[in-house]
Structure formats: C-alpha cells, structure tokens
C-alpha cells in the first residue's frame, strides 16, 4: 500500500517549457487535490477533483490544467512555465471531505 | 486574502511542557477544521480535526479547541515530546475546498 505517490520528485524547467506532474493513489479515494506551497503562503489549492472525470478550480488555478481520466490518477499540467510557478507541489487524496492524505511533494524550479 | 492565519511562525517549548498553537480564521462558512503536521521533505500528515458544531476534540496528547465567536482555534499538545518538532498547519473547510494557514514551526527542546 503505497498511499499517495508523486512523480517526479524534483524538476528544473526553463521559462516557457511544459511539463506534467503525476499523482497516483491506491486507496480508492474519490477526492484528489493539487496544492502549491510557497514560503510564507502556506498551502494553496490549485485544482481539485471530486471523482473520476471531474475537475474544478481552486484558489490559484491560473497557468495550470488538470485531468482525472482514471480514479487513481490526477495529473497537473503546466503548459508554459513561468518563474512564478517555482514552488513545492503537493498532491492529496481523501475518501470524503475530511482528512486528506498527502504525497511527498514535487520541488519545481523554473528559471 | 488569507482566510486562515497562523500569526506565530515559530514556537519553542521544553520537553514535557504544554505546546499551544493558535489559528485564526475569517470565513464564517468554514464548517470543519483540521490540523496537520509536516516534517521537512515530507507531505503533511493529518493530526486531529473538529467540526464547527463542537468546541473541543481530544485525541491522546492532542486537543483542539474551537471558539466560533472569536473565529479562533488552538491545538494543545501535552506533554510535548522532541518528536513533535515539526511545522503545524491548520486548515478550514468550506464546500469542497480547504484553506490552509501559513504554519507554525514547533521546536521541542529535550
């Protein structure tokens, strides 16, 4: 039982490049979330999903897209990376709207 | 606009004493609150939660208090242990979304 896993763990991008972050969970959870953590800002919700095939915007969705084609996977895409997207990205999942289980994070640097 | 605020970035406590971490919120639509603990280079892990219809929830050494009129919650850890040294985040829920505070770094001194 791996819980929530995130791929990759680290990535460096140049401005304008694109990439996809993968989140996978093996707990059969309905809800999945993408957050970013910046110094002095706490965790801020980017996008979330309440079930397979659904996505919704969170607090800071601009510059990101997501897809939930399979229940166990939640993908976060950056189409044209900007230095302001340098952050640590956390994925989380939950069975219901209670406690969330977080992945270990992806540290992204955009130069 | 930060809907959940943790005004103390850091806190140091002697081992065996009580740790009190505070959290204030502005959104009166929050109906559920959670505390998470985070070690460096790891994701947050759930610690304890409380519904907005309650004023106290206890789980072992951890107790969360909610004062709705003041829009304030606190986490008490008694007794504090060196392994409790971590960053603690509080979060509030409204609808399908969760809003997190900026975190308080707790250091428990042996």
């Amino acid at each position: 039982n791996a819980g929530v896993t995130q791929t990759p763990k680290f990535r460096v991008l140049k401005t304008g490049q694109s990439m996809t972050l993968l989140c996978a969970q093996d707990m059969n959870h309905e809800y999945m979330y993408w957050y970013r953590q910046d110094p002095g800002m706490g965790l801020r919700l980017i996008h979330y999903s309440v079930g397979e095939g659904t996505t919704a915007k969170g607090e800071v969705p601009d510059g990101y897209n997501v897809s939930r084609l399979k229940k166990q996977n939640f993908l976060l895409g950056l189409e044209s990376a900007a230095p302001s997207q340098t952050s640590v990205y956390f994925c989380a999942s939950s069975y219901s709207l209670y406690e969330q289980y977080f992945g270990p994070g992806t540290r992204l640097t955009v130069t | 606009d930060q809907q959940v605020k943790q005004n103390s970035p850091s806190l140091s406590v002697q081992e065996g004493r009580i740790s009190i971490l505070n959290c204030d919120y502005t959104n009166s639509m929050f109906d559920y609150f959670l505390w998470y603990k985070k070690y460096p280079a790891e994701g947050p892990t759930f610690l304890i939660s409380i519904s907005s219809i309650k004023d106290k929830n206890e789980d072992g050494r951890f107790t969360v208090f909610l004062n709705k009129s003041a829009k304030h919650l606190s986490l008490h850890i008694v007794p504090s242990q060196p392994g409790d040294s971590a960053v603690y985040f509080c979060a509030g829920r409204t609808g399908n979304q969760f809003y997190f505070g900026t975190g308080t770094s707790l250091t428990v001194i042996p």
Side-chain angles (χ1 to χ4, degrees):
Chain A
N1 192 341
V4 179
T5 58
Q6 292 183 231
T7 309
K9 289 186 168 49
F10 303 92
R11 185 73 186 266
V12 178
L13 285 180
K14 293 188 188 309
T15 297
Q17 287 184 321
S18 63
M19 79 163 294
T20 300
L21 282 68
L22 170 64
C23 175
Q25 53 94 3
D26 60 2
M27 297 173 282
N28 202 33
H29 286 168
E30 291 293 337
Y31 298 84
M32 296 188 75
Y33 307 82
W34 275 108
Y35 292 90
R36 59 179 288 175
Q37 185 189 11
D38 302 294
M41 298 296 292
L43 285 91
R44 292 182 294 168
L45 182 63
I46 305 171
H47 286 280
Y48 65 97
S49 168
V50 301
E52 181 179 307
T54 76
T55 62
K57 294 180 180 179
E59 195 181 355
V60 289
D62 294 341
Y64 304 95
N65 57 74
V66 287
S67 65
R68 182 105 181 263
L69 299 178
K70 293 183 178 181
K71 186 176 184 178
Q72 63 267 34
N73 296 337
F74 196 28
L75 278 63
L76 177 71
L78 286 74
E79 289 187 348
S80 179
S84 60
Q85 295 178 303
T86 293
S87 189
V88 180
Y89 291 85
F90 289 101
C91 175
S93 71
S94 64
Y95 178 71
S96 60
L97 286 169
Y98 294 102
E99 63 266 24
Q100 297 170 323
Y101 294 79
F102 283 83
T106 294
R107 185 173 294 276
L108 174 67
T109 302
V110 183
T111 62
Chain B
D1 183 29
Q2 196 79 19
Q3 298 190 36
V4 179
K5 299 178 183 179
Q6 294 177 257
N7 293 317
S8 298
S10 62
L11 175 68
S12 291
V13 171
Q14 288 290 133
E15 181 179 2
R17 306 293 291 268
I18 183 171
S19 295
I20 300 176
L21 294 89
N22 294 304
C23 182
D24 297 297
Y25 63 95
T26 57
N27 191 337
S28 58
M29 299 301 292
F30 286 150
D31 60 359
Y32 196 72
F33 300 89
L34 308 94
W35 284 93
Y36 288 85
K37 176 178 175 179
K38 184 183 181 304
Y39 293 117
E42 295 183 9
T45 56
F46 170 73
L47 196 57
I48 192 169
S49 60
I50 187 167
S51 166
S52 62
I53 63 172
K54 301 197 173 196
D55 55 18
K56 178 182 174 181
N57 187 29
E58 192 171 351
D59 184 2
R61 297 187 296 116
F62 303 92
T63 303
V64 56
F65 295 91
L66 175 62
N67 182 334
K68 279 188 69 175
S69 61
K71 292 190 173 68
H72 177 83
L73 62 156
S74 61
L75 173 68
H76 293 209
I77 307 173
V78 182
S80 301
Q81 299 173 353
D84 295 330
S85 296
V87 176
Y88 290 78
F89 292 96
C90 66
R93 182 190 77 187
T94 176
N96 292 327
Q97 299 195 34
F98 294 83
Y99 293 84
F100 284 75
T102 52
T104 296
S105 178
L106 173 67
T107 301
V108 180
I109 304 163

